[in-house]
Amino acid sequence: MKFLLYAFVGVHLLSLNSGKAIYRNDMSQRTFQEIKEEIAHYGDIAKAIINLAVYGKAQNRSYERLALLVDTIGPRLSGSKSLEKAIQIMYQNLKHDGLENVHLEPVKIPHWERGEESAVMLEPRMHKMAILGLGSSIGTPPEGITAEVLVVTSFDELQRRAPEARGKIVVYNQPYTNYSQTVQYRVQGAIEAAKVGALASLIRSVASFSIYSPHTGIQEYQDGVPKIPTACITVEDAEMISRMVSRGSRIVIQLKMGAKNYPDVDSFNTVAEIIGRKYPEQVVLVSGHLDSWDVGQGAMDDGGGAFISWEALSLIKDLGLRPKRTLRLVLWTAEEQGGIGAFQYYQLHKANISKYSLVMESDSGTFLPSGLQFTGSEKARAIMKEVVNLLQPINITQVFSGGEGTDINFWIQAGVPEYFRLAFEVCSASALGKAHLEILLHKWKESYQQEPVYLMTYTSISPSITPVETPLLSWIQSR
């Protein structure tokens, strides 16, 4: 079995010979035809990467590497010993792989533990509910919280019914529209419930379908607003409670959560490189995060993204390719707690942000690719189509529109010159729905206006085709 990948391609749009951005003062020096011809010259490299990944010794490698880690280590929660063990294993793996400048960059990360948790409907009948506490949630008193529930379908409804919420457990049965819109109830649900005097909040899992499977994820508290326990319940239970209330039933739930927050602990971002031969100070970055939640192996979120990022460098190294620019792999720590590792990396490296040609992230699940999703000028779209055409041998040549992203948001917020904006997203043919990623190009602070930084994300997919696009497009970018 091979390891499928789908890539977001952000193009610095450098003159591939000079290393200067083509949409700056020298833009007239290069015609689209010249750029098109130069991209086409990478056809042999594209075929070599595809052949190695799909048919050669690298076939199945990412999948097998990932399976070994997740089977051996298991969950890798921020602050846990298992996460730090995984980081040390990956550090040794990258050194053994022959990559350059392999090192660990220290960061401080949150330490939260779930503890024992339960929810039981006491009235109008006994029903034990499946729940998962949300990351950073406080726990309940040892005896738990027993209260009547108030069911709402939106924050607006909660505000309208605010007088009813005091002293109750708010149950959010929000409809699922898409992840980016619906996840606000998981992230902000406890805050809004606490503002109207609720004792706790239970959120319908943010999922398009369910097999009685509660989801977890990070949630937030707000200064000046009381902290209340919060957890996700299944789609089925949220719907059932809503139906019962609509018939006039009084629902009482007992919630017990042993969650605790501890002081921050030491951790590391894991870094490896292939040093550029001509512009070693200029960086093309590929990344994924090593941490996961505590209730699964983290193979999908985000072991796949981390390991295809490693594979990108492995394939290029195995082919003996030496790009002009440095290819840098970063395996983030504590992404699930809000991109903590990525933020501290940005703080450490932002003084050199003008030297980052491309920043890529893979963290949107692993599904079958159908193409690249892109937003930008028509000139940029035309160039991107030429790059994607190099993937014709594996039939991933479509360019769509749209996009969104996570760990690279710190770079996005720093901004880039306005004259050229790009956003890329891959489209998934998964039955779970389309995977969404984003790259936005914004205005760069004048003090950093040198070379533009084009931000990009990409993501991986499950075993079926090998990771080809990422190393190929990273190589093109770095040339």
Side-chain angles (χ1 to χ4, degrees):
M1 288 172 43
K2 311 170 190 88
F3 198 85
L4 274 182
L5 147 75
Y6 49 127
F8 280 77
V9 185
V11 179
H12 195 170
L13 293 182
L14 298 174
S15 165
L16 297 180
N17 292 322
S18 68
K20 297 178 181 179
I22 65 171
Y23 289 125
R24 300 195 67 167
N25 293 334
D26 62 338
M27 62 180 294
S28 63
Q29 297 178 11
R30 305 215 45 197
T31 67
F32 174 74
Q33 184 60 33
E34 290 173 330
I35 297 169
K36 180 178 178 179
E37 291 174 358
E38 184 138 17
I39 292 171
H41 288 161
Y42 292 100
D44 289 342
I45 290 176
K47 291 176 182 177
I49 293 174
I50 291 169
N51 287 336
L52 175 61
V54 178
Y55 309 111
K57 68 175 184 179
Q59 185 184 48
N60 301 329
R61 181 168 60 186
S62 287
Y63 181 75
E64 291 164 358
R65 285 171 166 176
L66 173 61
L68 178 60
L69 181 80
V70 300
D71 291 347
T72 303
I73 301 297
R76 303 172 299 282
L77 184 64
S78 173
S80 68
K81 291 182 179 179
S82 59
L83 172 59
E84 298 315 305
K85 184 176 180 180
I87 289 171
Q88 293 299 326
I89 288 174
M90 288 305 300
Y91 171 74
Q92 294 298 330
N93 285 343
L94 296 174
K95 291 183 68 175
H96 185 264
D97 196 31
L99 299 178
E100 300 164 322
N101 195 23
V102 178
H103 65 281
L104 301 175
E105 296 189 0
V107 298
K108 288 284 188 179
I109 64 173
H111 179 195
W112 173 84
E113 294 183 4
R114 172 179 309 282
E116 296 295 322
E117 54 191 14
S118 65
V120 179
M121 178 193 294
L122 302 178
E123 297 181 25
R125 65 177 177 88
M126 293 291 293
H127 170 60
K128 186 176 181 180
M129 303 167 60
I131 69 166
L132 283 176
L134 295 177
S136 81
S137 175
I138 64 169
T140 65
E143 67 276 14
I145 294 173
T146 301
E148 183 179 352
V149 306
L150 171 68
V151 180
V152 298
T153 58
S154 68
F155 290 141
D156 288 342
E157 182 181 358
L158 178 62
Q159 291 303 310
R160 292 195 304 269
R161 302 178 65 186
E164 303 175 54
R166 184 164 297 278
K168 294 182 180 179
I169 297 174
V170 169
V171 173
Y172 291 97
N173 187 32
Q174 75 284 346
Y176 183 87
T177 54
N178 58 53
Y179 184 81
S180 61
Q181 291 181 355
T182 312
V183 75
Q184 64 179 318
Y185 290 92
R186 191 196 76 203
V187 176
Q188 302 290 327
I191 295 173
E192 297 305 317
K195 286 178 180 178
V196 294
L199 301 179
S201 62
L202 296 174
I203 294 92
R204 170 179 167 152
S205 290
V206 183
S208 56
F209 73 99
S210 174
I211 50 172
Y212 204 70
S213 47
H215 292 202
T216 191
I218 196 65
Q219 67 89 37
E220 295 177 354
Y221 290 123
Q222 182 176 307
D223 291 342
V225 177
K227 296 180 179 181
I228 62 174
T230 184
C232 273
I233 60 176
T234 66
V235 172
E236 292 90 337
D237 279 342
E239 289 284 359
M240 180 186 70
I241 292 170
S242 182
R243 291 193 304 270
M244 295 171 75
V245 167
S246 70
R247 300 186 193 112
S249 295
R250 178 177 181 268
I251 310 294
V252 176
I253 288 177
Q254 181 186 63
L255 175 67
K256 291 184 178 181
M257 293 175 59
K260 291 184 180 180
N261 289 282
Y262 296 93
D264 289 354
V265 299
D266 294 326
S267 187
F268 303 92
N269 290 320
T270 309
V271 183
E273 295 178 336
I274 296 176
I275 298 172
R277 71 176 189 277
K278 187 171 184 180
Y279 306 111
E281 74 286 353
Q282 296 182 23
V283 176
V284 173
L285 185 148
V286 296
S287 68
H289 66 87
L290 272 182
D291 65 298
S292 72
W293 287 105
D294 56 326
V295 289
Q297 291 182 317
M300 181 76 78
D301 184 12
D302 179 36
F307 275 70
I308 64 164
S309 298
W310 173 17
E311 184 69 12
L313 272 68
S314 288
L315 289 171
I316 291 171
K317 177 190 66 67
D318 289 350
L319 288 170
L321 302 175
R322 175 69 65 173
K324 286 185 179 179
R325 291 167 182 80
T326 294
L327 299 182
R328 179 176 298 169
L329 165 68
V330 182
L331 304 178
W332 310 113
T333 187
E335 184 276 342
E336 298 291 0
Q337 280 60 42
I340 303 299
F343 174 71
Q344 293 185 47
Y345 178 91
Y346 170 74
Q347 292 294 324
L348 182 64
H349 294 275
K350 65 181 180 181
N352 296 318
I353 195 169
S354 63
K355 296 179 181 178
Y356 281 70
S357 300
L358 183 68
V359 179
M360 298 179 274
E361 171 192 1
S362 172
D363 187 16
S364 194
T366 54
F367 309 108
L368 179 69
S370 58
L372 297 174
Q373 198 155 350
F374 165 88
T375 299
S377 72
E378 289 307 310
K379 289 182 179 179
R381 179 179 294 275
I383 293 171
M384 184 52 54
K385 287 181 177 178
E386 295 304 317
V387 173
V388 174
N389 280 341
L390 294 174
L391 302 177
Q392 182 63 51
I394 51 175
N395 197 30
I396 303 175
T397 59
Q398 298 185 76
V399 179
F400 302 94
S401 59
E404 59 185 31
T406 303
D407 270 318
I408 62 169
N409 282 345
F410 310 109
W411 303 84
I412 293 171
Q413 291 163 8
V416 296
E418 279 189 299
Y419 60 82
F420 188 54
R421 294 170 181 262
L422 296 175
F424 302 93
E425 182 187 325
V426 77
C427 289
S428 167
S430 165
L432 297 177
K434 188 171 70 174
H436 295 282
L437 291 174
E438 178 180 1
I439 306 163
L440 300 176
L441 303 180
H442 294 296
K443 192 172 182 180
W444 182 271
K445 294 179 182 178
E446 290 184 0
S447 59
Y448 292 117
Q449 283 189 347
Q450 298 175 36
E451 285 287 335
V453 176
Y454 291 86
L455 305 167
M456 131 189 173
T457 61
Y458 64 92
T459 187
S460 66
I461 46 178
S462 59
S464 209
I465 287 183
T466 37
V468 172
E469 298 92 327
T470 299
L472 169 59
L473 294 166
S474 296
W475 169 259
I476 292 171
Q477 168 60 29
S478 66
R479 296 292 291 179

